[in-house]
Amino acid sequence: PFNPHFVMDIGAAYLVAAGGLAWRASRPGAGQGALAAACAFLGLHALIHLFDAATGRHAAADLTRDFVGVFVPALIAAWVAWPSRRRSKG
């Protein structure tokens, strides 16, 4: 059933993750810890959805519905966190 407190808790986690990504984007030399925390939350959240689909706790079709809201943010965070060759050489 709908739980408004839980929805606000998850919203807070997403706001913190967005803040970490924004900090890193605005100041590339800073915010590594915030970026790591954002990637951890978003990545683990995506893995939970994959696990639930793989174990039958949720229908595999849910993965399509969740793609934009769950997997795309995790992929973007991983892309931002991944060190590029240009940055590692410079």
Side-chain angles (χ1 to χ4, degrees):
F2 177 72
N3 181 337
H5 180 88
F6 181 71
V7 171
M8 288 187 285
D9 285 345
I10 297 304
Y14 270 103
L15 286 174
V16 170
L21 292 172
W23 181 10
R24 180 65 176 195
S26 68
R27 299 185 61 205
Q32 186 63 29
L35 177 63
C39 285
F41 166 69
L42 295 169
L44 288 171
H45 183 219
L47 288 174
I48 289 167
H49 281 251
L50 287 173
F51 178 80
D52 284 348
T55 59
R57 293 177 65 186
H58 289 283
D62 289 351
L63 295 177
T64 302
R65 180 199 65 209
D66 295 341
F67 185 75
V68 172
V70 175
F71 298 104
V72 169
L75 292 169
I76 290 171
W79 177 73
V80 169
W82 195 267
S84 72
R85 291 182 181 207
R86 176 182 288 171
R87 281 187 285 185
S88 62
K89 287 182 182 177

